[in-house]
Amino acid sequence: MSTFLSGVAVLLSTLALGCSGYVAYEVFTLRQTLNANNTVTNTIPTQVPSLTATTSPQATASSSPATATTSAISPGQFVQPAFGKKAEVELLSAKRIKDPETGNRDVVNLQMRIRRLATDGVVGGDIISVASTTARNPETSVTYKGVALNRSTGSVSLFQVRPQASADAYIWLRVPDGVNNLDIFVPDTAAFKNVPISN
């Protein structure tokens, strides 16, 4: 009887040792995968904007890289009305990044927050075309446009945003390296003057 129990104990010990080895291997593999993902994330500066409307006008900061890093723009520094007084647009950051396709630092990632103010009078045509945002060099008056349609949020419909709620959006603008300030023109929004670019 004791021989049988000893055999069972040895078998259970062997199984436990095997399971421990398998768990250790899985943890190692998971850690390697996470490290590889972090490397890719740090080398490709693509941003995914939050299109989900927030219920408070004082929305919490997004976890996207552009808002997590230090920005030259202070909160509330650049806010302009849109569609009269139906909404307002706040610039969150204007950060120079490297174009992942060319490797050149001639791209500015402009992030903004669009907040609906009006409780009524908003119609389906009240749409801010973020993809049509342009910038201008305040010193030379040279105009800069978006990199591509897939490098912006596209459009934000005020009709689909609840009153006092907001939606975050972004666009990549093609701006030559060495330009440090921009005048920003978001459609149907008052102009933003002399916006600093952070590196």
Side-chain angles (χ1 to χ4, degrees), residues 115-138:
R115 181 172 294 116
R116 175 177 167 178
L117 301 177
T119 55
D120 54 17
V122 175
V123 296
D126 292 339
I127 297 173
I128 297 179
S129 178
V130 177
S132 299
T133 299
T134 59
R136 183 180 65 195
N137 187 327

Side-chain angles (χ1 to χ4, degrees), residues 106-108 130-136 142-149 151 171-176 182 185:
D106 60 349
V107 173
V108 171
V130 177
S132 299
T133 299
T134 59
R136 183 180 65 195
V142 175
T143 302
Y144 311 113
K145 296 183 179 181
V147 172
L149 288 176
R151 297 302 189 185
I171 182 173
W172 283 14
L173 297 167
R174 182 78 66 193
V175 180
L182 294 170
F185 302 96

Side-chain angles (χ1 to χ4, degrees), residues 2 11-12 21 31 38 42 44 60 65 74 104 108 112 132-133 138-139 173 175 182 188-190 198:
S2 61
L11 180 62
L12 291 176
R31 181 170 293 177
N38 285 338
N42 291 333
I44 302 177
T60 57
S74 302
N104 298 328
V108 171
M112 64 189 78
S132 299
T133 299
E139 297 177 3
L173 297 167
V175 180
L182 294 170
D188 299 297
T189 305
S198 63

Side-chain angles (χ1 to χ4, degrees), residues 17 43 47 56 73 84 100 124 149 183:
L17 186 60
T43 56
Q47 321 284 332
S56 169
I73 297 177
L149 288 176
D183 292 339

Side-chain angles (χ1 to χ4, degrees), residues 27-43:
V27 169
F28 175 77
T29 304
L30 179 62
R31 181 170 293 177
Q32 292 294 98
T33 304
L34 289 175
N35 287 341
N37 286 342
N38 285 338
T39 302
V40 171
T41 301
N42 291 333
T43 56

